[in-house]
Amino acid sequence: MTELRVFYDDAALAHVAPGGEFDVPASRRLAVEEPHPDRRERVENVVGILRSELAAETTWTGFDPATPTQLQRVHEPSYVAEIRTWAGEGGGRLTPDTGGNTETYRAALTAAGGAVAAAERAIEADDEVPYALVRPSGHHAQSDRADGFCFFNNVAVAAAHLLATDRADRVAVVDWDVHHANGTQEIFYDRDDALVVSLHQDHDSWDEETHPQACDLTERGTGDGTGYTVNVPLPPGTGDDGYQYAVAELVEPVVASYDPDAVLVSAGQDPGTVDPLGRNAVTKSGFESLGADARRIAADHAGGSLALVQEGGYHLSHVAYATLGVLEGVLDVETGVGDPYANVPGDTRSAKRAVDEAVAAHGDFWPLR
């Protein structure tokens, strides 16, 4: 039986983002403020469903926070110091949608450390799937700025750690969060030792200052990194079959050609059917397929070295069901738990057109049909 090793620390619960109107400050037009979508209950519900449904398969493991050396491989030292000082002074909003409290720096250090621990375990262990159940998320954080609820780029810290410590010569990051992996892209944009594949809803930048990346097919890397940024913008409502088409037609062929030593998945479950920040119509069953795909791709093309790092997912209930689906897929187990929110059909036809456009855009660098 394949074991699930969960890297988790209660520091994930201590980070508190400011409320307002969803993820932006209150306008004072409304009578009742709304909690920020990045709430601790997201993680608590994932912990709960794992303890309920995958207890026999799961080992819970502690770990150390990220070190300054690990962080500074991908972040400017001055930026790390800025986040430490900002949190120490009480936090607040860093950007219109991204903020925290006095515990945010500790939580972000811990999240990055969890990703590092999971990545190390991916290289070392057989018959085991490491999963960093961490918060705050990381994939929007760039080398010198916070963005999109993210402070330190957890998966980038982990990938850079594997490369810098000679545990890997090449690392593939596959990101299926509904939002573009702009931070991970920025950090590795001129490097060929990290492949960044981002399956995301086709969206523009939400802030020119904090999110300068375009998120589209024109961004493919620069210098030594040319071709190693692989963006796959998908239409809203893509659905289970659309994601499967993207994996078969683009993700797996690219990763196979790259031949990495490890696959790190930025596992954001906000493409889910009812997620308030995505609605890409992926059901629990669709997430099971994504998990199984990740495990198979790592087994066939990365010596079995696979780690999952939690990113988004903001519907307090569905994020738990969706994450359970991912983990059932990677473990090849069936709990019998259904999806109480599987009520939105996918737009497979539009998804296939979008994937075909991405295949055409990346086909001059990778062996795609």
Side-chain angles (χ1 to χ4, degrees), residues 42 137 139 177 179 267-271 275 310-314 319 323:
R42 300 169 51 240
S137 300
H139 72 149
D177 189 284
H179 304 107
Q269 276 63 267
D270 43 7
D275 195 277
Q310 183 68 43
E311 298 283 0
Y314 300 98
V319 65
T323 302

Side-chain angles (χ1 to χ4, degrees), residues 245-269:
Y245 187 76
V247 170
E249 295 296 313
L250 200 151
V251 178
E252 184 163 12
V254 168
V255 174
S257 179
Y258 187 64
D259 190 30
D261 299 303
V263 175
L264 306 183
V265 174
S266 278
Q269 276 63 267

Side-chain angles (χ1 to χ4, degrees), residues 67-78 80-81 84 157 160:
T67 66
T69 296
Q70 290 167 345
L71 288 179
Q72 291 170 20
R73 292 186 182 118
V74 303
H75 291 294
E76 296 292 338
S78 59
V80 176
R84 181 178 64 245
V157 172

Side-chain angles (χ1 to χ4, degrees), residues 158-244:
H161 176 74
L162 294 184
L163 296 167
T165 58
D166 296 325
R167 289 175 168 86
D169 294 323
R170 291 182 303 281
V171 176
V173 176
V174 176
D175 188 316
W176 64 54
D177 189 284
V178 81
H179 304 107
H180 179 232
N182 65 303
T184 315
Q185 170 182 297
E186 184 265 342
I187 286 167
F188 294 119
Y189 204 56
D190 61 354
R191 295 175 59 165
D192 60 5
D193 54 359
L195 168 72
V196 179
V197 181
S198 178
L199 301 172
H200 56 271
Q201 191 176 95
D202 191 1
H203 63 80
D204 296 324
S205 166
W206 46 71
D207 186 296
E208 291 183 0
E209 181 177 347
T210 68
H211 188 116
Q213 295 76 29
C215 324
D216 61 20
L217 295 174
T218 66
E219 294 178 336
R220 300 179 54 209
T222 189
D224 290 343
T226 301
Y228 295 99
T229 290
V230 180
N231 285 322
V232 189
L234 298 168
T238 283
D240 296 351
D241 291 342
Y243 274 83
Q244 283 301 290

Side-chain angles (χ1 to χ4, degrees), residues 52 59 148 154:
S52 169
T59 297
N154 306 322

Side-chain angles (χ1 to χ4, degrees), residues 4 42 45-55 57-58 131 133 176 267 269 283-289 291-292 308 310 317-340:
L4 177 67
R42 300 169 51 240
N45 278 347
V46 174
V47 170
I49 206 166
L50 296 187
R51 294 194 187 282
S52 169
E53 305 301 329
L54 292 176
E57 293 85 359
T58 301
Y131 165 44
L133 177 49
W176 64 54
Q269 276 63 267
T283 69
K284 177 177 177 286
S285 177
F287 283 110
E288 288 178 32
S289 296
L308 309 178
Q310 183 68 43
S317 298
H318 195 254
V319 65
Y321 286 97
T323 302
L324 177 64
V326 170
L327 298 175
E328 286 181 69
V330 297
L331 296 172
D332 192 22
V333 301
E334 180 56 62
T335 64
V337 174
D339 186 340

